[in-house]
Amino acid sequence: MAFVVRAFPVRDRSGVDAFLRALSDRETEARAFYNDLGVRRETWFYQKKSDGNGYVIGVTDVAEPIESKAAQYAEASDPFSNWFKAHIYALSGIDPDVVPLGPVTEIVHDSTNGSLPLSATLIVRAYPLRDRPTLEKFLGELRARPEETRDFYDRHQAEEAWFVQNTEEGPIVIAVLATDDPVRAAKTYAESTTPFDVWFKQRVIELSGVDPNRTPLGPPSEKIFEFTA
């Protein structure tokens, strides 16, 4: 399976909610739509931005090869697919017929080496990225400290992947955290004074301005939709 993570800009939360209600009313068609595309799980999160607009962040676990699934989605012309894609375009300005996978993202960090456990509870957040070179330095330091990094995730009983996406407001890092106990993970991370954890949290502050000691799960987001096969 492959993971696709994208932030879609939206200016109308009420429009998103109306789409979700209509999607719920067409549950049978939606399930057939996702199953036909080889989607095992798709989850959407809404995160409000400082300007009052927001992102819908989608995390999709889809069968490979992803290129053929993307082409299948772009080329689909049945009534439900056309309806679904028209709503995506109307809400975000992104045309699935042209860019079926949505805005381009780059995975830059994955604690699981490609096997993010999407059966767990997902916590998904977009962090502003102040400086890409500083991110690259941080990533290099993590790679140079593999045993401490592995111990960090094991102690907090979580796994994580980071994706960088360029937006009109500047680059963002989308963090996808998977854990069976998000309350515990947040508490142990926020309260930890382990030297590695203190260093890690300081790097997050420098990169994003978000303080994990106060908001360990990052800027607030809300899960608004989930499909599981």
Side-chain angles (χ1 to χ4, degrees):
M1 306 298 285
F3 301 111
V4 179
V5 176
R6 302 289 193 265
F8 291 76
V10 294
R11 294 182 175 85
D12 181 11
R13 173 61 192 264
S14 63
V16 173
D17 292 339
F19 178 37
L20 292 172
R21 288 192 296 271
L23 195 58
S24 178
D25 289 340
R26 304 180 70 167
E27 181 180 358
T28 300
E29 293 170 280
R31 179 163 293 279
F33 167 80
Y34 280 117
N35 286 338
D36 190 49
L37 290 171
V39 173
R40 184 176 69 172
R41 181 179 182 184
E42 180 163 277
T43 312
W44 301 349
F45 299 81
Y46 182 85
Q47 180 172 327
K48 191 173 182 179
K49 299 190 294 180
S50 59
D51 63 5
N53 297 321
Y55 293 117
V56 171
I57 306 171
V59 181
T60 307
D61 183 12
V62 62
E64 297 187 86
I66 194 168
E67 293 80 7
S68 65
K69 296 301 181 183
Q72 179 183 340
Y73 175 45
E75 295 168 2
S77 59
D78 60 278
F80 182 85
S81 296
N82 284 340
W83 171 83
F84 186 96
K85 291 189 286 184
H87 276 77
I88 299 297
Y89 180 66
L91 289 167
S92 68
I94 294 168
D95 188 348
D97 289 338
V98 179
V99 282
L101 296 181
V104 175
T105 63
E106 172 194 1
I107 186 167
V108 294
H109 170 67
D110 182 2
S111 70
T112 70
N113 295 315
S115 58
L116 189 70
L118 287 186
S119 59
T121 298
L122 297 184
I123 307 296
V124 178
R125 304 288 194 267
Y127 292 74
L129 177 57
R130 289 175 165 176
D131 182 60
R132 180 65 188 252
T134 302
L135 172 64
E136 296 295 345
K137 180 181 178 182
F138 182 27
L139 294 171
E141 291 171 325
L142 288 175
R143 287 190 287 269
R145 303 172 70 172
E147 293 182 1
E148 292 171 282
T149 301
R150 182 67 266 159
D151 177 65
F152 169 78
Y153 285 108
D154 288 346
R155 279 189 290 104
H156 300 303
Q157 297 180 14
E159 300 292 353
E160 189 173 47
W162 303 343
F163 300 78
V164 173
Q165 178 177 324
N166 291 319
T167 74
E168 292 182 356
E169 295 82 17
I172 59 174
V173 174
I174 305 170
V176 181
L177 179 77
T179 177
D180 291 327
D181 191 345
V183 174
R184 178 196 181 280
K187 179 178 173 61
T188 60
Y189 177 43
E191 296 178 354
S192 177
T193 57
T194 301
F196 181 88
D197 295 17
V198 171
W199 167 81
F200 188 101
K201 289 187 281 188
Q202 183 58 38
R203 288 292 184 270
V204 172
I205 294 170
E206 293 169 358
L207 282 167
S208 67
V210 177
D211 187 350
N213 295 301
R214 297 186 177 185
T215 55
L217 297 181
S221 71
E222 174 191 358
K223 185 170 76 171
I224 58 174
F225 171 77
E226 183 163 49
F227 164 83
T228 53

